[in-house]
Amino acid sequence: MVQLGGRFFDGKLVTGLGATVGARPGTPLPLAQGYVTLGSDSGHRGKKTVGDATFALNEEALRNSVGDQIKKVNDVAFALIHRRCERAPIHSYFVGGSQGGHEALIAAQLFGKDFDGVVSVFPAYNFTLLQLGSNAVAKAGYADGGSGWLSEGKLWQDVAAARDSRRIHHSVQYS
Amino acid sequence: MLLLHGTADESITPYNTVSYYERLRARYGLAGLTSFIRFYLVPGYGHYSGIFDARWDPLDVLDAWVSTGRAPKALVADDANQGSRRSRPLCAYPAWPKYVGKGDPNAAASFTFTD
């Protein structure tokens, strides 16, 4: 079975019916490959406002969103598989990108006994500091009237100079 | 664990994941860490897209590792951009794919792993 991650603030439901991050266009969906697939709404109902975190005023919803939902949903899936198939799944995996990748790290770190393996693609972990880091980049870009901004023209000049000095193959450097 | 991040990620800097991986390495040591994790830093891959839209069927790779106990080797990612026929080796960090200097630059076979 494989749990698919991905949602967070918006509380939308990950149905488990879609493709996994990084799958080739022609690869059969996990469901078609014979996996039991599952996902969750990260443990709270969604609000339409982007970035609305008022759900976190509820202690259980907060704990769900930062990890508990992963364990709860997996436990329910295990129970349903037992009831339906009268045995445990062969393997239990977690796959996700971005916030789903963050959840894959949580699955491995907090609930390692529940998963045989995880895939974490461009994880959005350390979320608060990540956002503050972006603010620092923006501040640097706007500082001193934008003098630190690297124009595309200047960037290509520098790349070309570096290429010439190191004799790097043209088609590789530019591709 | 399979961990992957693109160098052209416009939403989340890949250095966030590099930093995470380096902290794990300090904690577990290289031998301990590579017994359960592979980290791929992919040139040109962004956030679900990018100039090199890397596709590598990670669920299949993970299942093969778990089922056989043999860690993945010589993985190749294909570029899913329309009309592209590019492929590149996925190099376990800190290695990166280096063009060997001859052959088709769109073919993974024309690249080596370089630390």
Side-chain angles (χ1 to χ4, degrees):
Chain A
M1 67 184 227
V2 56
Q3 183 176 163
L4 310 180
R7 308 311 306 197
F8 187 29
F9 273 36
D10 62 11
K12 282 185 183 164
L13 179 66
V14 175
T15 63
L17 300 176
T20 49
V21 59
R24 290 183 171 87
T27 299
L29 298 174
L31 198 58
Q33 287 188 41
Y35 285 98
V36 171
T37 65
L38 53 138
S40 88
D41 59 6
S42 84
H44 64 268
R45 291 285 172 82
K47 296 259 177 86
K48 285 184 178 168
T49 315
V50 174
D52 186 335
T54 53
F55 70 85
L57 294 170
N58 179 289
E59 180 70 15
E60 184 173 1
L62 174 61
R63 295 183 65 86
N64 282 343
S65 72
V66 296
D68 283 2
Q69 47 122 351
I70 295 166
K71 167 75 171 160
K72 289 178 179 178
V73 168
N74 233 57
D75 282 352
V76 170
F78 257 90
L80 290 175
I81 290 168
H82 259 295
R83 187 182 297 178
R84 173 91 184 175
C85 308
E86 298 182 341
R87 66 175 175 85
I90 300 166
H91 295 300
S92 167
Y93 301 134
F94 193 104
V95 178
S98 205
Q99 170 58 15
H102 181 197
E103 289 168 347
L105 300 182
I106 295 170
Q109 289 176 204
L110 299 187
F111 311 114
K113 287 180 180 166
D114 296 278
F115 295 94
D116 298 300
V118 305
V119 175
S120 172
V121 179
F122 33 68
Y125 96 99
N126 206 358
F127 190 73
T128 307
L129 287 176
L130 188 63
Q131 300 304 319
L132 291 174
S134 299
N135 284 344
V137 170
K139 273 187 181 174
Y142 287 117
D144 193 19
S147 65
W149 186 260
L150 192 60
S151 76
E152 192 176 351
K154 175 76 167 58
L155 179 64
W156 285 121
Q157 272 178 23
D158 290 350
V159 168
R163 180 203 67 209
D164 292 343
S165 68
R166 293 177 198 164
R167 295 179 187 169
I168 297 169
H169 192 279
H170 182 276
S171 65
V172 173
Q173 190 66 29
Y174 276 82
S175 59
Chain B
M1 174 189 290
L2 297 171
L3 183 62
L4 182 139
H5 210 128
T7 61
D9 194 313
E10 70 282 17
S11 297
I12 299 171
T13 169
Y15 297 108
N16 206 44
T17 299
V18 169
S19 160
Y20 175 79
Y21 184 82
E22 294 292 353
R23 287 204 303 282
L24 288 180
R25 185 158 69 172
R27 177 169 174 174
Y28 293 101
L30 188 60
L33 188 58
T34 53
S35 72
F36 68 89
I37 191 168
R38 287 293 180 280
F39 170 36
Y40 306 101
L41 192 59
V42 183
Y45 186 41
H47 211 73
Y48 291 105
S49 59
I51 196 165
F52 183 79
D53 187 359
R55 302 304 176 94
W56 53 298
D57 290 332
L59 179 56
D60 294 353
V61 175
L62 181 73
D63 186 45
W65 189 0
V66 171
S67 300
T68 67
R70 287 193 294 275
K73 279 197 295 192
L75 295 182
V76 169
D78 298 324
D79 178 13
N81 281 305
Q82 191 94 35
S84 172
R85 54 182 186 85
R86 295 169 77 197
S87 64
R88 290 281 158 82
L90 285 178
C91 303
Y93 179 86
W96 51 278
K98 183 180 182 184
Y99 182 58
V100 296
K102 57 183 181 180
D104 184 354
N106 288 317
S110 305
F111 290 78
T112 56
F113 293 5
T114 307
D115 281 320

